[in-house]
């Protein structure tokens, strides 16, 4: 096992990794930007190194500063968390060149799955079902139209190098496809430095169901069941849960086996997530693989009792994954609410400021992953995640009741948060019935805002 590692991230995930390190007896060094000098991760770490000013290109994305920080402090490995450099194949390569272990998969696996065209082709070849669509990058608008006419509308234009639900466009007919093609291409070029687009059949009523996997360096891989992340706003997840109300043990086994086929096809190592869309008939289609730990990983930890971040560290240090597939049992139900510093009444506009008062929820079955403390200044430079409120209960109904209780107990003064909207969501009939698809949140949102203006 490592004796010291560098954490190349911030916010709640940096704190989460520090905690895992301390439980394993590893010294944690946190790399921080000037904006994060007084962060909880810096306070809880054994050492901290400033890697640059607030803007992330000059700090959390500054590869040479991070490598230097690791070398100066004598770290054997770097944990990239999520976002920032976590899916950067080049960074993983540079780490290796300096004799530092990158806590994640190989650069080749990252590169392959970072490109949605390559990802689709690789998974199709491995026998994993994919959404019907283009074989590769779209070469011209004519090709897009021809394919769309053959598949039928609606279709989805998707940036090959995209992420975070950004830059996708649904075209309902040929005129829209013609209209969106060039804009989508130039937007993708501007946002991701890669103008390549692919075309997929747009599946109107689907769930987002993803399978968590763990694989060691000795060829042993398991899946840890699914998370249902259908509660999304503009393709971004806001509430996640495990297990999915739509997944039976039989379907779980089939999806898990499909995910593992993908894992084996690319010799995947470490924690990863295979994302699928699941239709009402029980058909599932691969959309992408995330080659890193995910924000919503704790719901899986709560229902399986398996600590994913600790396993990331153990696997990266070369240990055998001692958990067998038959050891993985899904127990009870877990829900996560992403509490963001955003104002849901103003189109989720980011809210920055000082946390004047903070009282996290507690009591039975509650877990809070957060970097907040009273007096903390929420910087405007990074994503708006403040806290992940998690609950576990023996069944879904009790988990929903527990989450409502936990969110109602929570006090955060100083910034606006998404909690008021999440409470509305938890009371919604579609959610309560477990009947979510990826578009239902938009409808709830519209009704909620309308009720606000009339009362
Ligand atoms: P990103 O990498 O930007 O997050 P994904 O491919 O993971 O993009 O898709 C994000 C979300 O977009 C999915 O969770 C789903 O809600 C929606 N989506 C993606 N592909 C399709 C599709 N073919 N049909 C319907 N919805 C889709």
């Amino acid at each position: 096992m490592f004796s010291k590692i560098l954490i190349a991230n911030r916010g709640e995930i940096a704190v989460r990794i520090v905690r895992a390190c301390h439980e394993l007896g590893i010294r944690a060094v946190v790399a921080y930007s000037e904006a994060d000098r007084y962060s909880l991760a810096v306070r809880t770490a054994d050492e901290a190194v400033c890697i640059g000013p607030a803007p992330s290109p000059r700090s959390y994305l500054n590869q040479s500063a991070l490598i230097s920080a690791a070398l100066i402090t004598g770290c054997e490995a770097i944990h990239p968390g999520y976002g920032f450099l976590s899916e950067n194949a080049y960074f993983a390569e540079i780490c290796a060149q300096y004799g530092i272990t990158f806590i994640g998969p190989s650069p080749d696996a990252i590169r392959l799955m970072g490109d949605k065209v390559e990802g689709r082709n690789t998974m199709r070849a491995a026998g994993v079902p994919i959404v019907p669509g283009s074989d590769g990058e779209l070469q011209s608008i004519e090709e897009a139209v021809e394919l769309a006419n053959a598949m039928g509308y609606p279709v989805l234009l998707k940036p090959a190098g995209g992420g975070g639900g950004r830059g996708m466009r649904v075209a309902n007919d040929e005129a829209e496809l013609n209209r969106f093609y060039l804009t989508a291409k130039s937007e993708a070029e501007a946002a991701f430095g890669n103008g390549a687009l692919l075309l997929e059949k747009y599946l109107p009523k689907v769930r987002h169901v993803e399978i968590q996997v763990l694989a060691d360096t000795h060829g042993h891989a398991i899946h840890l069941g699914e998370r249902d992340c259908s509660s999304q706003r503009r393709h971004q997840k806001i509430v996640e849960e495990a297990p999915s109300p739509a997944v039976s043990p039989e379907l779980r086994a089939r999806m898990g086996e499909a995910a593992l086929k993908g894992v084996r096809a690319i010799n995947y190592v470490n924690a990863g997530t295979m994302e699928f869309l699941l239709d009402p008939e029980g058909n599932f289609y691969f959309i992408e693989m995330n080659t890193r730990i995910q924000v919503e990983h704790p719901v899986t930890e709560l229902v399986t009792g398996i600590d994913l971040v600790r396993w990331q560290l153990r696997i990266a240090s070369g240990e055998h994954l001692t958990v067998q597939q038959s050891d993985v049992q899904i127990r009870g139900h877990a829900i996560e609410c992403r509490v963001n510093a955003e104002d849901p009444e103003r189109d989720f506009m980011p809210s920055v400021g000082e946390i004047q008062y903070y009282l996290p929820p507690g009591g039975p079955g509650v877990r809070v992953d957060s970097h907040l403390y009273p007096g903390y200044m929420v910087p405007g430079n990074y994503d708006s995640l403040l806290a992940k409120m998690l609950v576990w209960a023996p069944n879904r109904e009790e988990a929903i009741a527990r989450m409502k209780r936990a969110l109602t107990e929570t006090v955060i003064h100083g910034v606006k948060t998404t909690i008021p909207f999440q409470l509305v969501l938890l009371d919604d009939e579609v959610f309560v019935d477990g009947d979510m698809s990826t578009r239902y949140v938009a409808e709830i949102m519209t009704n909620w805002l309308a009720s606000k203006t009339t009362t």
Side-chain angles (χ1 to χ4, degrees):
M1 180 48 78
F2 308 117
S3 56
K4 196 176 188 186
I5 71 153
L6 184 89
I7 298 167
N9 214 303
R10 62 175 304 283
E12 70 83 22
I13 194 64
V15 177
R16 170 75 186 87
I17 302 164
V18 170
R19 287 176 172 152
C21 286
H22 286 169
E23 288 179 12
L24 289 169
I26 302 169
R27 286 177 67 79
V29 183
V30 163
Y32 67 93
S33 78
E34 282 167 10
D36 284 331
R37 186 174 298 276
Y38 302 107
S39 71
L40 192 60
V42 170
R43 289 177 176 214
T44 51
D46 300 289
E47 284 174 55
V49 185
C50 185
I51 39 148
S56 37
R58 299 178 62 196
S59 48
Y60 296 106
L61 295 172
N62 184 342
Q63 303 190 23
S64 45
L66 288 162
I67 297 284
S68 307
L71 293 175
I72 290 165
T73 52
C75 287
E76 302 146 81
I78 296 185
H79 196 308
Y82 50 68
F84 297 125
L85 295 171
S86 60
E87 291 179 298
N88 187 307
Y90 182 70
F91 184 61
E93 256 161 26
I94 297 287
C95 286
Q97 275 172 23
Y98 281 90
I100 300 165
T101 304
F102 177 81
I103 300 173
S106 69
D108 285 347
I110 299 176
R111 197 167 282 124
L112 211 52
M113 293 298 118
D115 183 303
K116 288 186 206 265
V117 170
E118 297 269 1
R120 271 172 69 83
N121 291 342
T122 309
M123 289 305 148
R124 184 176 33 208
V128 180
I130 59 169
V131 185
S134 51
D135 282 340
E137 178 189 346
L138 289 173
Q139 299 300 330
S140 65
I141 191 156
E142 290 76 22
E143 185 195 343
V145 168
E146 194 180 320
L147 193 62
N149 286 339
M151 283 196 306
Y153 290 89
V155 293
L156 183 68
L157 283 169
K158 210 183 246 192
R166 289 180 301 148
M168 292 185 285
R169 283 183 178 237
V170 181
N172 289 298
D173 52 41
E174 189 173 329
E176 281 192 352
L177 183 56
N178 274 309
R179 198 140 41 88
F180 295 156
Y181 182 82
L182 284 178
T183 333
K185 212 171 164 54
S186 50
E187 275 177 8
E189 181 70 56
F192 311 112
N194 175 0
L197 293 179
L198 58 110
L199 190 80
E200 280 180 12
K201 175 101 183 129
Y202 182 71
L203 305 171
K205 195 173 187 315
V206 283
R207 288 170 183 266
H208 175 116
V209 176
E210 57 188 34
I211 302 283
Q212 175 71 51
V213 297
L214 273 178
D216 69 14
T217 51
H218 311 280
H220 176 48
I222 58 168
H223 74 85
L224 292 94
E226 79 286 358
R227 294 185 283 263
D228 193 316
C229 312
S230 305
S231 299
Q232 306 180 346
R233 186 185 154 268
R234 300 199 176 146
H235 304 304
Q236 287 177 23
K237 302 162 187 169
I238 51 173
V239 177
E240 300 100 340
E241 59 185 284
S244 165
V247 174
S248 64
E250 180 272 330
L251 180 56
R252 177 172 307 126
R254 273 198 292 131
M255 293 185 78
E257 196 36 54
L260 290 176
K261 264 191 203 169
V263 163
R264 290 184 206 110
I266 58 171
N267 295 321
Y268 192 81
V269 167
N270 217 282
T273 301
M274 293 276 284
E275 296 190 334
F276 296 97
L277 297 178
L278 175 67
D279 75 13
E281 288 76 48
N283 302 305
F284 58 89
Y285 307 92
F286 169 83
I287 45 174
E288 69 164 347
M289 182 174 197
N290 287 317
T291 55
R292 54 170 165 81
I293 194 77
Q294 281 189 287
V295 176
E296 60 271 25
H297 76 272
V299 291
T300 299
E301 299 185 325
L302 288 173
V303 294
T304 60
I306 294 168
D307 189 309
L308 291 164
V309 178
R310 283 173 53 159
W311 270 115
Q312 283 196 292
L313 294 160
R314 296 175 67 177
I315 287 170
S317 77
E319 280 187 33
H320 280 272
L321 173 61
T322 48
V323 186
Q324 304 305 317
Q325 191 62 59
S326 55
D327 299 333
V328 180
Q329 300 293 335
I330 310 294
R331 217 182 114 254
H333 202 93
I335 305 179
E336 169 178 283
C337 282
R338 296 189 188 194
V339 176
N340 293 336
E342 292 169 4
D343 185 352
E345 289 185 43
R346 290 198 174 69
D347 201 26
F348 291 80
M349 196 165 77
S351 176
V352 295
E354 185 183 323
I355 303 295
Q356 283 142 8
Y357 191 68
Y358 172 56
L359 188 66
V366 175
R367 166 174 167 181
V368 179
D369 278 20
S370 174
H371 55 295
L372 289 194
Y373 60 83
Y376 174 66
M377 186 74 202
V378 177
N381 308 79
Y382 312 108
D383 79 47
S384 56
L385 184 64
L386 289 181
K388 303 189 309 204
M389 301 302 179
L390 292 133
V391 296
W392 181 92
N395 58 55
R396 187 168 189 269
E397 196 184 339
E398 289 178 53
I400 295 175
R402 185 163 274 171
M403 181 58 91
K404 289 203 290 198
R405 187 269 288 170
L407 290 185
T408 313
E409 262 175 40
T410 307
V411 184
I412 301 175
H413 286 173
V415 291
K416 296 276 187 190
T417 78
T418 42
I419 290 178
F421 181 65
Q422 271 148 343
L423 282 169
V424 171
L425 204 67
L426 292 168
D427 264 333
D428 183 80
E429 206 179 311
V430 177
F431 182 80
V432 171
D433 292 345
D435 201 18
M436 308 86 76
S437 73
T438 51
R439 290 201 300 180
Y440 85 106
V441 169
E443 285 162 34
I444 297 174
M445 185 74 217
T446 313
N447 296 339
W448 182 60
L449 288 179
S451 75
K452 287 257 154 205
T453 47
T454 50
T455 52

